[in-house]
Amino acid sequence: MDAREKILEAAAELLAEAPVADVSTRAVCEAAGVGAPMLYRLFGDKAGLLAAVVDRGFERYLASKRAARPGDDPVADLKSGWDNHMRFALEHPNHYRLMYSPELTAPPAAAREAHDLLHGILERCAAAGRLTVPPVLATRIVMSANVGAALSMLTRPEQYPDAQFSDRLRDAVLDSLTRPAEGAAPVPENPVPVAAATLAARLRADVPPAFTPAESALLQQWLGKLTES
């Protein structure tokens, strides 16, 4: 293993156990068994080292996306890309948090490539007449929503207990940006969840005086179940 790989390996191991701010270049050099001049010659500074660690960690994820063959339905590919992004984030939380850490003064190559790959899919959606906004804007919206959801679930898991949260957000975002293929039958809307959510919100704002606190809580529980149906 050459010096570069030793440094990257040591940095990745340290970052798996401690926040970015607590990992110094000195600690990385000691763990890798190299001198500081070697680290700075190879990576420039701590930000450069962190960016290289991110790129190394994301290589397998990006390789799978590069190798993916476009399907017949670009919107389906878009949904699959969202799910793959979320799966990687949840399976590799340390690398993912590092990728979007404020410690990185410049975005790593992995972030730029992920953005470009997403933009390519959205260009296909536009070419197929399925996109309702320009691809550049759609790329920003989808990436922001996907990254925001992943970071929220990683940093505040107790606030996101719903296993279907990512799917719900994905569908809400993509449905607002795309339209059905020509000739596709419209999907019938189930009015019950919408009605239940509306009634629950109105009852929370104006609790009926005829209900006891226990009755109001039970009604909210029932309406919540209907909202999720």
Side-chain angles (χ1 to χ4, degrees):
M1 185 183 298
D2 62 18
R4 179 182 176 84
E5 282 301 309
K6 287 181 180 179
I7 294 172
L8 290 174
E9 187 70 26
E13 291 179 359
L14 291 172
L15 289 165
E17 300 174 356
V20 174
D22 294 342
V23 177
S24 66
T25 54
R26 179 179 179 180
V28 173
C29 289
E30 291 176 352
V34 302
M38 175 65 72
L39 184 150
Y40 289 111
R41 180 174 67 81
L42 291 172
F43 302 101
D45 55 15
K46 182 178 179 179
L49 171 62
L50 295 177
V53 172
V54 168
D55 291 336
R56 183 172 180 265
F58 271 67
E59 179 56 34
R60 181 177 300 177
Y61 166 71
L62 291 173
S64 66
K65 294 184 76 68
R66 296 183 202 119
R69 294 185 175 181
D72 295 333
D73 184 349
V75 175
D77 290 346
L78 190 57
K79 291 183 178 181
S80 178
W82 175 293
D83 294 340
N84 289 338
H85 185 117
M86 187 65 68
R87 188 179 305 112
F88 181 88
L90 298 180
E91 291 178 354
H92 304 85
N94 292 320
H95 270 108
Y96 194 86
R97 281 193 290 261
L98 176 58
M99 185 172 187
Y100 296 101
S101 169
E103 291 282 330
L104 297 182
T105 55
R112 294 193 297 271
E113 184 172 353
H115 187 277
D116 291 343
L117 289 168
L118 171 60
H119 185 261
I121 298 176
L122 286 160
E123 285 284 1
R124 290 174 49 224
C125 291
R130 304 286 302 279
L131 203 59
T132 60
V133 299
V136 171
L137 175 58
T139 302
R140 292 171 182 160
I141 293 172
V142 174
M143 184 61 77
S144 297
N146 209 177
V147 172
L151 289 175
S152 295
M153 294 175 71
L154 288 175
T155 57
R156 298 288 186 272
E158 71 283 355
Q159 295 181 9
Y160 297 88
D162 181 4
Q164 301 301 313
F165 168 73
S166 176
D167 292 348
R168 294 174 187 272
L169 179 61
R170 177 201 65 202
D171 292 345
V173 172
L174 300 190
D175 286 352
S176 72
L177 301 174
T178 64
R179 63 182 184 181
E182 291 294 334
V187 179
E189 181 180 357
N190 180 1
V192 173
V194 175
T198 301
L199 179 57
R202 291 181 178 178
L203 290 177
R204 285 192 295 270
D206 186 12
V207 180
F211 286 171
T212 66
E215 289 171 338
S216 293
L218 183 58
L219 180 56
Q220 286 289 340
Q221 182 180 356
W222 288 341
L223 290 172
K225 288 183 178 296
L226 289 173
T227 301
E228 298 171 358
S229 63

